[in-house]
Amino acid sequence: MAPPQAPPSWTLADLVYQGWWWRNPGLLHLNLCLFLPLLISFTNGLDSSLINGLQILPDFQEFFGHPEGVTLGLLSSAQNLGALVALPITPFASDILGRRAALFGGSAGMLAGVVVQILAPTVKVFIAARVIVGFSLNFCINAAPLLILELSYPTQRGKFTSFFNSAWYGGAIVSAWVCYGTYDRLDGNVWSWKIPTLLQALVPTLQVCLVWFIPESPRWLVSRGKESDAARILAKFHANGGDERHPLVQFEMAQIRHAFRLEEQANKSTSYFTLFATPGNRRRMLLILSIAVFSQWSGNGLMSYYLNLVLEGVGIQDPQVKAAINGGLMIYNLAVAFAAASLVDWCGRRTLFIISNAGMLLTFGCLTLTTALFRTQENTAAAKATIPLIFLFFAAYDIAYTPLLLTYTLEVMPFRIRAKGFATMNFTIFLVLAFNQFVNPVALEHLDWKYYLVYIGWLAWELIFVLWKVVETKGYTLEETAAIFDGTDYQDAIINAGNQHMTQLDSFHGTSITVVRPRGQDEERDWRGELIMTPSKTSSSGDGTSKAIAL
């Protein structure tokens, strides 16, 4: 008599839908829903770039009495001041009220701020309105990527979350061109600056009107004891409106529940101190805070905020040429960032970080050489080579740090500290940006091109750190990814939770589970997704019968 056959080891790859997402009604509906929170990053780019565009409009300057000095500084930094005040509060709104409620509240606050901006009679009122916009926007910035990450289909999580940060450039480009268009067509009219301001209300209006029509994060629902609601959402969107007993739904729910139990055992309550309370959390924070610093201190801050000084340093003085280079660079960054975001699940996160850091080190080193040759020898050929090197440098940066800064941070954090870890990462970026704005112009004035050598040394350290510390997260579920830093026992427990639950389903109605894959994956389905050919992987059951479940 043959020994009993061991149950198969189930993984996410055995259960996910492998066809084109737009041919799966559940995935099509889900991705259309995710487009709404994805627009928040677009709004962030629009709002962050608006003041730069408004300051070039004569009607704006005349209406508010040509602000200068401290007033101009407050005008430029008001949105960031509001965001900084909101930063420590936003995780509690996302965790307590829910991702959608935080999005709704933040969007409503932004609408109020935009109304005050348009009606502002003085520059002081306009500055106050900018603070309100920045404060409210930060609630959306915290909640939107969490909702995308926790609701996305498992195989599309990396792409969608990476698209979020990349969309910032889209908003910045629209802001610049709308300001240009109103200046060109409405010069001499107060609406030349009010129309770009009014544009800020577009996405918040969509959020307020539509956010309650998209699903809540299943992870958040489980955290509030609403497991049946979470399973219903996963069945509708991840299993194409199927049964809550669908293998993928059961697999995901088993891992989510087990991850919550383990997190609760490790931390009875959570606060900002929890981020550093365990060895695993300290490893996470070292990694994500380092990446946050790298994202702003890799030479990109020098190129972005002081591009004018960099270009003048190689002899480019014509304002029209500078504007063309800056405008072209924004569109170029958008294209490269979206292309890189599409590759995160193909190349892997670690691979993209290594390519990005190695590319930045190489191109910034060449850029330093060409700048030095021009400054010391007035070598015009070297000056001309600087322009393509700037574009190559940003290509290297955009390969990883634009799409993956947010994605990687959120993936490696467990649910209970994810929102707080994200806020801490953003606070770190604020600090580094402040450092850049104060130190870079002074250093450039005193050290000239020699200041670039400091960045070369730092970029070399970044590459070493990435090779040493960054771990791959491709191919894992969200719960498996977060468990990587807590040791093999913890990670195995999460993986086994899903696998054990799947083997228990062998006895479901006395049948075994048959995984049905799309065309070209050992099985075939027709255009409706109906089974044509019996698949090859089946788990054994007590009576030898089987049940085909379409993915």
Side-chain angles (χ1 to χ4, degrees):
M1 181 176 179
Q5 185 180 3
S9 178
W10 296 92
T11 66
L12 184 66
D14 296 317
L15 306 173
V16 292
Y17 176 76
Q18 304 268 356
W20 297 109
W21 62 267
W22 57 82
R23 299 181 68 177
N24 183 311
L27 281 183
L28 177 61
H29 188 185
L30 173 62
N31 291 345
L32 288 175
C33 289
L34 292 176
F35 184 72
L36 188 66
L38 194 64
L39 288 174
I40 290 298
S41 183
F42 176 91
T43 305
N44 187 23
L46 181 75
D47 293 354
S48 300
S49 305
L50 182 66
I51 286 299
N52 289 335
L54 292 180
Q55 288 184 60
I56 68 172
L57 300 177
D59 295 301
F60 178 83
Q61 293 284 352
E62 184 176 347
F63 188 89
F64 289 113
H66 299 273
E68 58 184 15
V70 175
T71 302
L72 180 60
L74 286 173
L75 185 64
S76 300
S77 61
Q79 181 175 324
N80 286 336
L81 290 173
L84 192 59
V85 173
L87 258 179
I89 309 169
T90 54
F92 296 98
S94 296
D95 285 343
I96 296 172
L97 302 177
R99 303 346 188 182
R100 293 186 304 172
L103 268 174
F104 179 85
S107 298
M110 289 173 63
L111 284 176
V114 171
V115 170
V116 175
Q117 276 186 150
I118 294 173
L119 300 177
T122 66
V123 70
K124 291 181 180 179
V125 176
F126 191 90
I127 290 171
R130 294 290 294 168
V131 172
I132 295 171
V133 169
F135 180 87
S136 304
L137 175 60
N138 212 262
F139 284 86
C140 297
I141 290 173
N142 186 271
L146 296 175
L147 181 58
I148 293 171
L149 180 87
E150 294 165 1
L151 185 59
S152 296
Y153 195 68
T155 55
Q156 297 180 346
R157 183 190 74 231
K159 292 185 184 69
F160 263 100
T161 316
S162 299
F163 285 148
F164 182 86
N165 219 33
S166 304
W168 187 95
Y169 286 116
I173 292 168
V174 169
S175 175
W177 282 104
V178 168
C179 288
Y180 176 81
T182 56
Y183 170 69
D184 185 54
R185 297 298 180 91
L186 296 172
D187 189 26
N189 190 320
V190 70
W191 284 100
S192 67
W193 67 267
K194 287 194 174 185
I195 287 177
T197 303
L198 187 62
L199 186 63
Q200 290 179 281
L202 175 61
V203 173
T205 301
L206 291 175
Q207 301 289 334
V208 167
C209 295
L210 300 177
V211 72
W212 299 113
F213 293 98
I214 66 175
E216 180 57 270
S217 160
R219 273 84 179 175
W220 182 81
L221 289 171
V222 172
S223 75
R224 313 308 288 184
K226 301 178 180 180
E227 291 192 15
S228 60
D229 291 339
R232 189 159 46 248
I233 287 172
L234 291 176
K236 180 178 180 179
F237 294 99
H238 288 196
N240 197 16
D243 198 317
E244 292 177 23
R245 297 167 297 182
H246 188 285
L248 178 59
V249 176
Q250 293 291 314
F251 186 87
E252 290 186 283
M253 286 298 297
Q255 287 202 338
I256 293 170
R257 283 193 295 261
H258 197 70
F260 273 106
R261 283 197 293 268
L262 292 176
E263 288 181 46
E264 288 173 355
Q265 291 171 8
N267 300 289
K268 298 299 181 183
S269 61
T270 58
S271 67
Y272 280 100
F273 295 107
T274 311
L275 297 175
F276 304 94
T278 67
N281 286 353
R282 288 191 289 272
R283 286 180 61 199
R284 291 183 181 95
M285 294 308 295
L286 171 64
L287 183 57
I288 67 171
L289 295 184
S290 297
I291 291 175
V293 173
F294 297 167
S295 73
Q296 302 300 324
W297 219 69
S298 296
N300 59 304
L302 191 67
M303 298 296 164
S304 298
Y305 291 92
Y306 302 99
L307 182 62
N308 182 58
L309 295 177
V310 172
L311 293 176
E312 288 181 355
V314 292
I316 297 175
Q317 304 289 339
D318 188 340
Q320 189 171 2
V321 174
K322 293 178 185 176
I325 291 172
N326 185 53
L329 195 57
M330 295 292 282
I331 298 172
Y332 175 80
N333 282 333
L334 176 68
V336 175
F338 268 93
S342 302
L343 298 174
V344 294
D345 290 321
W346 185 64
C347 296
R349 284 66 156 164
R350 175 179 163 84
T351 301
L352 290 179
F353 271 118
I354 292 171
I355 293 172
S356 177
N357 280 96
M360 285 192 293
L361 178 59
L362 177 63
T363 53
F364 200 88
C366 293
L367 198 149
T368 301
L369 177 61
T370 58
T371 304
L373 287 173
F374 177 79
R375 300 294 286 176
T376 58
Q377 301 178 16
E378 297 187 358
N379 188 319
T380 55
K384 292 178 181 178
T386 300
I387 306 306
L389 283 171
I390 290 174
F391 279 77
L392 288 173
F393 170 81
F394 274 104
Y397 177 87
D398 289 328
I399 285 173
Y401 285 92
T402 297
L404 288 180
L405 170 65
L406 184 147
T407 301
Y408 198 77
T409 296
L410 297 181
E411 282 184 334
V412 302
M413 302 297 289
F415 175 87
R416 287 165 65 88
I417 60 172
R418 187 172 289 139
K420 296 179 180 66
F422 182 38
T424 304
M425 183 270 285
N426 282 326
F427 180 72
T428 303
I429 289 175
F430 269 107
L431 294 179
V432 180
L433 283 173
F435 177 88
N436 281 344
Q437 290 173 350
F438 282 105
V439 173
N440 280 342
V442 176
L444 281 172
E445 182 181 353
H446 288 84
L447 298 176
D448 197 22
W449 66 268
K450 298 182 184 68
Y451 183 49
Y452 294 6
L453 297 174
V454 176
Y455 278 101
I456 291 176
W458 181 257
L459 283 166
W461 161 245
E462 286 185 8
L463 180 58
I464 293 170
F465 183 91
V466 166
L467 288 167
W468 177 33
K469 287 292 186 181
V470 171
V471 298
E472 185 55 74
T473 61
K474 181 182 74 170
Y476 293 105
T477 67
L478 188 55
E479 282 66 39
E480 290 168 1
T481 299
I484 290 174
F485 295 85
D486 294 306
T488 55
D489 291 343
Y490 193 101
Q491 188 179 9
D492 289 344
I494 296 294
I495 295 173
N496 291 335
N499 187 50
Q500 289 170 6
H501 194 84
M502 289 302 301
T503 56
Q504 290 171 7
L505 288 177
D506 286 351
S507 57
F508 173 59
H509 291 321
T511 63
S512 66
I513 299 167
T514 298
V515 177
V516 180
R517 294 196 180 283
R519 185 182 298 273
Q521 302 288 328
D522 294 331
E523 310 83 20
E524 295 185 18
R525 290 191 285 178
D526 64 15
W527 65 274
R528 296 183 301 273
E530 299 296 333
L531 176 64
I532 296 175
M533 184 186 301
T534 303
S536 59
K537 182 168 184 178
T538 307
S539 65
S540 59
S541 66
D543 61 2
T545 60
S546 66
K547 179 180 178 65
I549 303 180
L551 302 180

